Amino acid sequence: MGAAEYEERLEAFVGRELTPLTPGQDPVNQPMIRHWTEAMGDTSPVYTDEAAARATGRPGVVAPASMVQAWTMRGYAATTAPAPGRRGFDELVALLDEGGYTSVVATDSELEFARELVPGDHVGVREVVESISPEKKTGLGVGRFVTTMKTYRDQNDEVVATQRWRTLRFCPAPAQAASDGPRPPRPRPALNRDNAFWFEAAREHRLVIQRCVSCETLRHPPGPCCPRCGSFAWDTVRASGRGHVYSFTINHHPRHPAFDYPLVVAVVELAEGTRLITGLTGVAPEDVTIDMPVVLDWLDADPDLSLPVFRPVASEDR
Ligand code: ZN
């Protein structure tokens, strides 16, 4: 299929109905208004209090204007059954997929309201394609902006609101290959006068813990002042190197080319009681568990940077 033919097929969608007028599952009603305003934290009484609403000149309670879309959403039904009458929508998505535009992100929504909805109104929506842009380069990849117009009508076929809805359908940009060129060095720690001693010890493969001279409380990460007694006097003790996994996460994104992924990032609680954020080594991500006993190892990242990492306790370490 040629590019020109593809453009023509896209162009043929402009003006086409994606979703025929489809009534909402329920009429506008007070319980849904109450749930919505509670969830949104909107405390205006015109949505829930008849007297307060009348005091503003309204005939009674009204629904929040921006709830218009909620009245036409299919809710959980949408997860179990295809939407009725959405053939046009499905065809457009298939055509965009064919062009490689497989990802979607909503970009903006312009709502205009003709009148306030009141309990008992029954709203339906119809969606028509307004425009499909030429291919554009975006930060997410090349794509096309698809703009549709949703028209909301009440039980008397009067327009109550319109919504211009724009999405970007894009070809996801390929991830930067980790093997392109030499691997860059790890990011440097941000050294300062309060933490340099810790990284200097690490370069000598010593894991140290800062200790308050006044009250002997251990602390990590390093800091100038004891959080318990306020003393600025400190020294260090050398950690045993034993601990357990207090918590962990498996990091997939964003990727830095100096690291291998998936990357296990753990909070290890040392036998001495302090915790540090560290890497785990010698264990598959799926095998890491909370409370897993671990023991200190060293990662010599480059001549200037050695960092403590931890590996699971092997039988010979017990
Ligand atoms: Zn202290």
Side-chain angles (χ1 to χ4, degrees):
M1 181 191 68
E5 190 206 330
Y6 186 72
E7 293 294 331
E8 273 173 30
R9 289 168 69 202
L10 281 179
E11 191 60 31
F13 263 93
V14 175
R16 195 172 149 185
E17 179 179 87
L18 292 188
T19 311
L21 185 66
T22 309
Q25 295 185 104
D26 298 295
V28 175
N29 64 84
Q30 187 67 74
M32 280 175 68
I33 293 173
R34 191 188 317 284
H35 295 158
W36 198 91
T37 54
E38 282 182 7
M40 293 294 170
D42 190 333
T43 56
S44 169
V46 303
Y47 305 132
T48 49
D49 182 330
E50 283 286 331
R54 283 200 196 98
T56 65
R58 292 173 169 88
V61 297
V62 296
S66 51
M67 214 181 152
V68 66
Q69 194 178 5
W71 302 115
T72 61
M73 285 179 165
R74 296 185 67 241
Y76 290 115
T79 64
T80 55
R86 289 192 97 197
R87 236 190 69 220
F89 183 86
D90 295 337
E91 279 177 30
L92 177 57
V93 169
L95 181 57
L96 289 162
D97 281 354
E98 190 184 316
Y101 311 108
T102 53
S103 297
V104 60
V105 61
T107 60
D108 59 76
S109 166
E110 294 167 24
L111 281 157
E112 276 186 38
F113 304 104
R115 72 163 173 92
E116 290 183 310
L117 296 173
V118 298
D121 278 334
H122 205 149
V123 183
V125 65
R126 174 175 184 256
E127 185 171 17
V128 172
V129 177
E130 195 175 77
S131 65
I132 300 174
S133 80
E135 189 172 276
K136 310 258 189 197
K137 274 189 178 159
T138 77
L140 294 167
V142 296
R144 293 174 187 264
F145 289 94
V146 177
T147 306
T148 67
M149 177 61 84
K150 297 182 186 190
T151 304
Y152 296 87
R153 291 175 184 271
D154 66 13
Q155 59 280 9
N156 302 316
D157 210 30
E158 299 284 335
V159 175
V160 294
T162 58
Q163 182 178 22
R164 178 170 287 114
W165 174 244
R166 187 171 292 123
T167 55
L168 172 66
R169 297 267 167 178
F170 63 100
C171 314
Q176 188 88 30
S179 56
D180 286 355
R183 172 172 275 211
R186 284 201 169 215
R188 305 289 92 179
L191 293 183
N192 57 46
R193 285 163 63 183
D194 293 322
N195 67 14
F197 75 91
W198 192 87
F199 289 97
E200 282 160 15
R203 276 175 69 174
E204 299 163 1
H205 287 195
R206 288 185 298 114
L207 178 62
V208 297
I209 309 171
Q210 197 173 25
R211 177 174 62 180
C212 173
V213 167
S214 305
C215 75
E216 299 195 340
T217 299
L218 300 175
R219 65 179 187 259
H220 187 86
C225 166
C226 174
R228 187 169 173 204
C229 76
S231 169
F232 283 85
W234 58 270
D235 61 6
T236 61
V237 294
R238 189 161 176 175
S240 66
R242 291 180 172 273
H244 64 269
V245 173
Y246 181 79
S247 183
F248 70 97
T249 187
I250 310 297
N251 183 200
H252 298 271
H253 294 283
R255 296 193 167 199
H256 186 288
F259 295 87
D260 294 316
Y261 295 87
L263 177 66
V264 185
V265 181
V267 177
V268 164
E269 184 168 280
L270 298 174
E272 290 80 3
T274 56
R275 296 173 192 153
L276 75 161
I277 297 173
T278 183
L280 292 189
T281 186
V283 59
E286 60 271 23
D287 293 335
V288 180
T289 56
I290 301 285
D291 282 339
M292 168 186 272
V294 289
V295 63
L296 176 64
D297 202 342
W298 288 96
L299 170 73
D300 295 316
D302 52 65
D304 297 323
L305 185 65
S306 293
L307 293 168
V309 291
F310 286 78
R311 58 183 165 81
V313 173
S315 49
E316 63 264 32
D317 298 319
R318 290 180 202 275

